[in-house]
Amino acid sequence: MVDAAGFESVAQCPRELHQMMAAAADGLGSIALDTTQLNMSVTDPTAWATAMNNLGMVPVGLPGQQLVSDSICVPGFDPGLNMMTGITPINPMIPGLGLVPPPPPTEVAVVKEIIHCKSCTLFPQNPNLPPPSTRERPPGCKTVFVGGLPENATEEIIQEVFEQCGDITAIRKSKKNFCHIRFAEEFMVDKAIYLSGYRMRLGSSTDKKDSGRLHVDFAQARDDFYEWECKQRMRAREERHRRKLEEDRLRPPSPPAIMHYSEHEAALLADKLKDDSKFSEAITVLLSWIERGEVNRRSANQFYSMVQSANSHVRRLMNEKATHEQEMEEAKENFKNALTGILTQFEQIVAVFNASTRQKAWDHFSKAQRKNIDIWRKHSEELRNAQSEQLMGIRREEEMEMSDDENCDSPTKKMRVDESEADIEDCAGDPADRGLHSAALAAQAYALKEENDSLRWQLDAYRNEVELLKQEKEQLFRTEENLTKDQQLQFLQQTMQGMQQQLLAIQEELNNKKSELEQAKEEQSHTQALLKVLQEQLKGTKDLVETNGHSHEDANEINVLTVALVNQDRENNTEKRSQGLKSEKEALLIGIISTFLHVHPFGANIEYLWSYMQQLDSKISANEIEMLLMRLPRMFKQEFTGVGATLEKRWKLCAFEGIKTT
């Protein structure tokens, strides 16, 4: 920047200097720079070159060359004029001299400025380039990631640069060219993000290790997230506390506590029951005492008097109801009169609209006026009809109430009769009013008759309700019986299915036994035939021995051979009969079944064994287990226990007995 002394010296130059500067301004009319980008000292050639390089322009003003070309420079201008006059070198593009017209206002993003620090200088990136990208901001972010630092940047230099954004709580620098900076507040992170894209240069060095382009981005830190969660929890607690206070404020007050019964409290309560202002409070206390069971032989008379005073309060309530009904009737009458007046005014308004729609006046209105008058007329007619319907409905209700009053007396009249009865009771002792007393007795008899009729009707209604309840109970009982019958039928069907399955299993067992018997018969016949053949052979060999005179040892060898053949035949037959195991699963089942029957020395039926095995393998069936047991007669045997209906078929483990016998 040109200082004040320079500006004063320029102002004192002769007229020729101003003309030359004007000519230079004509030559530089097309050059426009933002004044905010050139706030550095022109006397520093390295800083000027770096700034021009960052802005994408050719460096000018270096030592040994002119700031602008000769065609643009003022002719005859001596560059060494500053040596004599003390004027600093003049750059035609320096703002404030008026050589370059200000740039036209355009809707461009805010251009960043050069930032000077004690140890380094930050140069902004080219404004034509897109802004540096950032990740999504984590909640409660106070930490930033700073990449692209110069290799020679120290922690002190980083703190010097970024402490301008706010208070730094921690700096974690890596051995590589990046670090993490944590600020005290969240808004300071936005200031640090502003420095993203700046080129950082340490001092005036041009070494690569002293320069680098900064990349500032949001960083995810556990401390930030933990503080953010703590703040959220605190806000949630405050919100819950506020809602609780609001609920407590809006909650209706709790009812007052009811005192315990005592004779003194009962006397006070009797006085409160006689007071109209305290009756509602006293009746709740009386109800709670009765429900608690405070009534006994000792306090029965006191409670009876309180109940009697509560009954006397009924008369006052009925009189109050009668007054309210009278007030309601008066209000209805006033409403009806007001509605009638409103309806008459509506009729007059509709008559005005009808008169204005006649030909005599209609022709003098404009088209828009006619339209508005027609709309107003329709609207007023609709309102008039609605008001008339409401008034007609009120009149119908009054007619219905009048018909009801003719059939039955109103409760106010009954209350008046009751009041007259009470007055008659009060004056019954006066001998002068015996005629009035007889009339009162007649009225009382009539009232009692009506009460008796109403009680009879109530009794009939109760009887009908009881009959309905009985019918509903019978229906429920029938439905329950039907349900029990259905359950019994289902149970019987299940038992029948089980019996059928047992019969099928028994039939399969019989068939297997028959086949085994047939095989045994065949084996027996075969063995008999073999014995016959062997006997004939023995006889032939004996004859040969006798004739030929062989030794006794040869005869023994022949006998041994015959016995071995017989034993081999027997083993083949047993192998055919007992059929070896087919798979590893069957061996596993045999092991489990043998352990189960070993702990049941008296045996177990096939259903019990199947229920135990089904817990281990739900796909196995009772028939598979029974067939497996039947295939191994030396390990398992079947016995029948019980008599008659309690006859039961059980399987036992007989492997140990087979080992003893063999």
Side-chain angles (χ1 to χ4, degrees), residues 330-499:
E330 291 176 358
K332 282 184 179 179
E333 189 68 26
N334 294 331
F335 177 70
K336 186 176 71 173
N337 295 332
L339 193 62
T340 305
I342 291 169
L343 188 61
T344 54
Q345 292 178 8
F346 269 117
E347 292 288 348
Q348 292 172 0
I349 293 167
V350 170
V352 168
F353 283 123
N354 291 329
S356 59
T357 54
R358 290 172 187 165
Q359 196 73 25
K360 189 186 293 182
W362 190 253
D363 294 338
H364 300 286
F365 293 115
S366 64
K367 190 174 182 180
Q369 291 173 348
R370 290 177 185 176
K371 186 177 180 181
N372 291 332
I373 291 169
D374 195 10
I375 293 169
W376 295 338
R377 181 180 61 80
K378 289 179 181 179
H379 183 61
S380 59
E381 284 179 355
E382 289 176 358
L383 293 174
R384 189 269 314 272
N385 294 332
Q387 299 297 329
S388 62
E389 286 178 1
Q390 188 176 3
L391 184 62
M392 291 299 293
I394 292 170
R395 288 177 179 173
R396 287 195 206 98
E397 289 178 358
E398 288 180 352
E399 290 175 359
M400 291 174 68
E401 287 178 359
M402 290 294 291
S403 62
D404 292 337
D405 291 338
E406 289 176 359
N407 294 329
C408 60
D409 294 334
S410 64
T412 56
K413 290 182 179 179
K414 289 185 179 180
M415 285 302 302
R416 289 170 186 170
V417 169
D418 293 337
E419 289 178 358
S420 63
E421 290 173 4
D423 296 335
I424 289 165
E425 288 177 358
D426 293 335
C427 65
D430 192 358
D433 295 330
R434 289 179 181 175
L436 294 172
H437 182 64
S438 61
L441 288 174
Q444 187 177 5
Y446 181 74
L448 289 171
K449 185 179 178 182
E450 287 185 350
E451 188 176 359
N452 190 15
D453 293 337
S454 65
L455 290 172
R456 191 184 300 113
W457 295 334
Q458 288 180 3
L459 183 62
D460 293 337
Y462 288 145
R463 284 177 181 172
N464 293 329
E465 288 180 0
V466 169
E467 289 178 358
L468 290 172
L469 289 171
K470 284 182 179 179
Q471 291 177 1
E472 290 178 357
K473 190 174 181 181
E474 288 177 357
Q475 290 178 357
L476 290 171
F477 184 70
R478 288 173 184 172
T479 53
E480 288 178 357
E481 286 183 350
N482 293 330
L483 288 172
T484 53
K485 286 180 180 179
D486 293 338
Q487 290 177 357
Q488 289 177 358
L489 287 172
Q490 290 179 358
F491 182 71
L492 290 172
Q493 288 176 358
Q494 290 177 358
T495 52
M496 288 291 292
Q497 290 177 359
M499 293 292 289

Side-chain angles (χ1 to χ4, degrees), residues 81-212:
L81 186 64
N82 60 336
M83 299 297 292
M84 297 179 290
T85 60
I87 302 173
T88 55
I90 298 172
N91 188 357
M93 293 183 291
I94 292 176
L97 294 179
L99 301 181
V100 180
T106 56
E107 295 182 359
V108 185
V110 178
V111 179
K112 299 180 180 180
E113 300 177 354
I114 300 173
I115 299 172
H116 296 279
C117 299
K118 293 180 181 179
S119 305
C120 61
T121 307
L122 300 178
F123 300 98
Q125 68 175 5
N126 191 348
N128 297 326
L129 296 176
S133 61
T134 57
R135 67 170 70 179
E136 186 178 357
R137 182 167 189 159
C141 181
K142 294 183 182 179
T143 307
V144 293
F145 167 82
V146 182
L149 292 169
E151 294 184 10
N152 294 332
T154 60
E155 190 172 335
E156 289 77 11
I157 295 172
I158 296 169
Q159 186 169 3
E160 179 186 352
V161 172
F162 284 93
E163 69 182 357
Q164 301 176 13
C165 303
D167 296 336
I168 297 173
T169 58
I171 297 176
R172 294 188 295 273
K173 188 177 182 303
S174 176
K175 294 180 180 179
K176 297 184 180 180
N177 302 333
F178 69 89
C179 69
H180 289 84
I181 302 174
R182 190 165 190 263
F183 292 96
E185 298 295 335
E186 293 184 20
F187 68 89
M188 300 175 183
V189 174
D190 299 325
K191 295 182 180 180
I193 295 294
Y194 178 79
L195 298 177
S196 184
Y198 271 84
R199 180 176 290 278
M200 183 176 181
R201 184 178 296 278
L202 303 179
S204 59
S205 175
T206 58
D207 192 1
K208 290 184 178 180
K209 293 183 178 181
D210 294 332
S211 65

